[in-house]
Amino acid sequence: MTVRLKLTLWYSAVVSLTLIAFSFILYTFLSYSMVQEIDRELAGRAVGVVRSIKVVGPNWFRQQQIVLPDVDVFGYPNTYLQVVDPYGRLVAKSSNLSNQTLPLSEDTLKLGVTGQSFYEWLQVGGQRIRTYNYPLMAEHRVVGLLQVGQPFSGIQAALNRLKWLLWLLSGLMILAAGSIGWWLARTALRPVEEITKTAALIRQELNLHQRIAWEGPNDELGRLSATLNGMLDSLEAAYRELEESHAAQRRFVADVSHELKTPLTTIRGNIDLLRKMGDEHPAIRQEALADIASEAERMSRLVSDMLVLARADAGLTLSLQPLPVVQILQQVGRQAKILAGQINFKIDIDERCKDTYIMADPDYVKQLLLILLDNAFKFTPPAGTVELSVACGGDRVQVLVKDTGMGIDPGELNRIFERFYRSDKSRPVGGTGLGLSIAKWIAEQHRAEISVESELKKGSVFKVTFPVLKQMHE
Ligand code: ADP
């Protein structure tokens, strides 16, 4: 059964019950008060009649007699009057009864003789008559019974008409309620249908851009639409992320194959050369072997870089520990001096860093700084300068790697952190194009920020900002 049908049925059932209860109460109350009204009237008339009745005797001359005025003088066209003696014999009756009499049962007579007044229903010539029986008393004795009756058929007919009217109106109203309920349920449920349709469309077309168009108020359905739209936003974002990561993975595999292909080709070429001419030309052999060694080294660097990134992709998290900044910088400085060659290398450690600690993985922080320094040395001519400096202040530690090298094209600045990205100008220098992406990942792991500023032919500055763990004062 559909919700719409259920709602309509419930609605109609409630309306029907209410109407039936209302009609029943109305009908019962009206008929009760009508009878009450008649009873009051009958009692009033009986009192009026009784006042003018005389009871004579008994005496020497005659028996006891009930002397009635002409009951018709009371002039109640619709009221029947009848007087009987204690034996049930008719004494007088109103002329509107013509040749009929009000029936008198034994029980009525018995009860009347006891001196009680009471009401009863009588059936005369197919008419229902409400009767009031009133005992006539003389010297504390019941000498007769006055019956005052009024036909109830007129009222009964009106009540019957009312009953039918109530049935008819109730039926019509139940029908109307059903139709209105059906319409209301449709109106209320239309947005749900819309939502279902949109959801089905999204499932069919796998189109996560689709949203539920809700223009109504922010009621339950509005909130449901908003929640579903929010869920679709999250789904779309997750799906996009997944697609991007798939694409990145595909790109990575393609780049790796490409990067590995070049050294392998060089190695194979050199091996062929060695086979052909190696024995006769020692110089060529030396050159070929040197090439093979350098390419092999390049490949092993590439593979170890890729391993780091693969671990990063697999969700590797570094185990950070509190480390004194000065100690790390000094160690990195010592290693950098070896790499510097002819380049003028300077190291400048801020006095304030003396007791500053950061949360770091020592090996990875060193790797990060050495990647930056290695690049600086690679892309700076022999007469140039590379400077490693660290400044401490507030809750940050700022490490700068400054060089006076070839600089980076402004258009390439935001691409150099991508995997395998190498600018055309830097190609002859060699490298894997993975260094800065590893540096970026290490920085992220340390909740550090890495950025670069550069000017072509003037030099570059790489900045890494670490959050300070604590400042220890002795
Ligand atoms: P690699 O150095 O192995 O090529 P990186 O990811 O470390 O790879 O660097 C990517 C690119 O960024 C380099 O190829 C180079 O073009 C540019 N780059 C990085 N550091 C510098 C620098 N200090 N000066 C000029 N160019 C740089």
Side-chain angles (χ1 to χ4, degrees):
M1 200 192 280
T2 59
V3 175
R4 187 179 174 189
L5 188 60
K6 263 191 229 164
L7 278 177
T8 311
L9 287 181
W10 270 108
Y11 184 67
S12 310
V14 170
V15 171
S16 312
L17 277 179
T18 317
L19 273 175
I20 289 169
F22 169 78
S23 306
F24 178 76
I25 291 168
L26 180 76
Y27 181 83
T28 315
F29 176 76
L30 260 181
S31 47
Y32 176 76
S33 36
M34 290 287 185
V35 173
Q36 287 280 92
E37 190 54 40
I38 289 181
D39 286 356
R40 241 197 323 275
E41 215 175 294
L42 288 176
R45 296 218 167 135
V47 170
V49 175
V50 164
R51 253 194 236 121
S52 49
I53 286 179
K54 277 189 205 130
V55 181
V56 185
N59 52 30
W60 288 105
F61 306 106
R62 51 176 146 173
Q63 285 189 312
Q64 186 189 52
Q65 226 178 349
I66 301 166
V67 183
L68 269 180
D70 181 1
V71 284
D72 289 328
V73 300
F74 297 104
Y76 308 130
N78 218 10
T79 307
Y80 305 122
L81 295 169
Q82 183 173 284
V83 179
V84 291
D85 68 10
Y87 307 102
R89 287 178 303 228
L90 181 71
V91 177
K93 64 175 182 173
S94 55
S95 61
N96 54 4
L97 272 170
S98 60
N99 54 357
Q100 284 189 317
T101 50
L102 293 176
L104 180 71
S105 69
E106 260 180 51
D107 290 342
T108 308
L109 191 62
K110 261 190 212 156
L111 202 62
V113 169
T114 61
Q116 278 186 54
S117 58
F118 57 95
Y119 297 95
E120 68 175 342
W121 290 104
L122 292 178
Q123 202 75 32
V124 180
Q127 270 205 95
R128 217 167 161 230
I129 292 180
R130 182 71 172 168
T131 325
Y132 182 52
N133 300 297
Y134 191 87
L136 300 172
M137 309 290 286
E139 291 161 10
H140 309 296
R141 262 185 339 109
V142 178
V143 292
L145 186 68
L146 170 67
Q147 292 175 282
V148 189
Q150 213 177 71
F152 194 67
S153 336
I155 294 168
Q156 187 64 59
L159 281 174
N160 283 346
R161 274 199 299 279
L162 175 74
K163 189 158 74 183
W164 283 114
L165 187 73
L166 285 174
W167 274 119
L168 186 77
L169 281 180
S170 301
L172 283 177
M173 282 178 81
I174 290 166
L175 258 180
S179 319
I180 291 172
W182 184 248
W183 177 80
L184 273 180
R186 198 188 62 174
T187 315
L189 291 173
R190 194 180 291 142
V192 177
E193 267 170 36
E194 285 291 316
I195 293 170
T196 315
K197 253 191 237 161
T198 315
L201 212 70
I202 291 167
R203 204 194 56 186
Q204 252 172 28
E205 299 176 2
L206 259 181
N207 175 5
L208 290 174
H209 306 305
Q210 189 103 22
R211 291 289 175 276
I212 295 158
W214 175 257
E215 279 157 17
N218 187 27
D219 52 12
E220 289 87 340
L221 289 172
R223 284 198 294 277
L224 173 68
S225 309
T227 313
L228 284 175
N229 281 342
M231 193 188 79
L232 284 172
D233 286 344
S234 316
L235 266 180
E236 194 184 5
Y239 193 72
R240 203 184 312 122
E241 233 168 70
L242 206 68
E243 287 230 303
E244 274 167 15
S245 108
H246 272 156
Q249 221 153 16
R250 277 198 300 274
R251 237 182 5 251
F252 188 65
V253 172
D255 287 344
V256 167
S257 331
H258 178 77
E259 291 297 323
L260 286 176
K261 221 169 125 190
T262 322
L264 279 173
T265 317
T266 317
I267 290 172
R268 271 172 45 202
N270 278 304
I271 289 172
D272 284 349
L273 195 69
L274 276 178
R275 277 203 190 116
K276 277 187 210 144
M277 319 169 66
D279 293 342
E280 293 132 47
H281 302 278
I284 290 179
R285 191 173 69 186
Q286 281 310 316
E287 225 172 88
L289 282 173
D291 268 3
I292 289 172
S294 118
E295 288 304 315
E297 195 190 323
R298 190 167 122 71
M299 272 171 64
S300 71
R301 227 181 319 134
L302 193 70
V303 169
S304 73
D305 280 358
M306 276 176 351
L307 256 174
V308 176
L309 284 173
R311 280 198 206 112
D313 287 348
L316 170 78
T317 43
L318 305 182
S319 53
L320 308 182
Q321 59 193 76
L323 281 181
V325 173
V326 177
Q327 190 189 318
I328 311 172
L329 265 286
Q330 279 168 348
Q331 283 174 9
V332 171
R334 274 197 293 276
Q335 269 176 271
K337 260 186 204 140
I338 304 165
L339 296 171
Q342 292 172 314
I343 292 167
N344 180 19
F345 174 61
K346 287 196 247 173
I347 176 162
D348 175 20
I349 300 176
D350 186 352
E351 266 296 300
R352 289 176 299 170
C353 294
K354 218 173 101 211
D355 303 310
T356 305
Y357 282 67
I358 56 170
M359 283 301 281
D361 182 313
D363 292 338
Y364 281 97
V365 171
K366 276 183 225 159
Q367 188 180 359
L368 158 62
L369 297 177
L370 283 171
I371 288 169
L372 300 182
L373 286 164
D374 186 45
N375 278 346
F377 295 136
K378 265 196 309 198
F379 302 116
T380 305
T385 307
V386 170
E387 185 181 344
L388 169 68
S389 64
V390 55
C392 300
D395 54 358
R396 314 250 119 199
V397 173
Q398 198 178 65
V399 182
L400 296 181
V401 177
K402 216 186 279 181
D403 68 57
T404 56
M406 59 193 265
I408 304 161
D409 196 288
E412 291 179 310
L413 274 183
N414 52 0
R415 298 206 58 197
I416 55 171
F417 291 96
E418 285 174 16
R419 292 178 183 186
F420 293 111
Y421 187 80
R422 289 156 75 198
S423 83
D424 290 336
K425 274 181 246 119
S426 66
R427 274 179 199 279
V429 183
T432 61
L434 292 176
L436 285 180
S437 25
I438 294 174
K440 190 172 161 217
W441 172 71
I442 298 174
E444 277 164 7
Q445 287 290 309
H446 286 82
R447 280 189 281 128
E449 281 159 26
I450 185 163
S451 61
V452 58
E453 279 173 27
S454 184
E455 207 176 324
L456 272 177
K457 291 186 187 137
K458 290 236 166 108
S460 317
V461 185
F462 282 83
K463 181 161 80 179
V464 190
T465 316
F466 292 92
V468 164
L469 170 67
K470 56 187 170 181
Q471 208 99 36
M472 288 189 168
H473 296 290
E474 283 165 309

